[in-house]
Amino acid sequence: WDDLFLVGPYVYWYDSLYYLFYNGSSDEGNFAVGLATSPDGFHFTKYAGNPVLAPDGEGYDAWGVGGAVIIRQDS
């Protein structure tokens, strides 16, 4: 799903782990949001369940989602 390109990284540090959210696309042109994690901020492992947010074929997000921004709630 992300073999064409990766853009728009957003890194969040929480509980001794870096969470890297990014936008990716395949040659089909559908944008989705992926996740990778890292204990040191240099070596990241992509989440096996990627993409974590993907287009559903209907409505405003039919062909793409993106712009990952994380907002922590409750402290």
Side-chain angles (χ1 to χ4, degrees), residues 4-67:
L4 183 62
F5 66 82
L6 308 174
V7 296
Y10 188 92
V11 178
Y12 183 73
W13 169 256
Y14 178 72
D15 201 22
S16 301
L17 195 62
Y18 291 94
Y19 293 84
L20 170 65
F21 294 89
Y22 61 92
N23 301 321
S25 180
S26 67
D27 58 359
E28 296 172 4
N30 295 331
F31 286 51
V33 176
L35 169 66
T37 58
S38 170
D40 61 10
F42 291 100
H43 304 94
F44 284 85
T45 301
K46 288 183 180 180
Y47 174 59
N50 275 337
V52 294
L53 186 60
D56 65 2
E58 298 178 9
Y60 73 93
D61 60 352
W63 307 115
V65 295

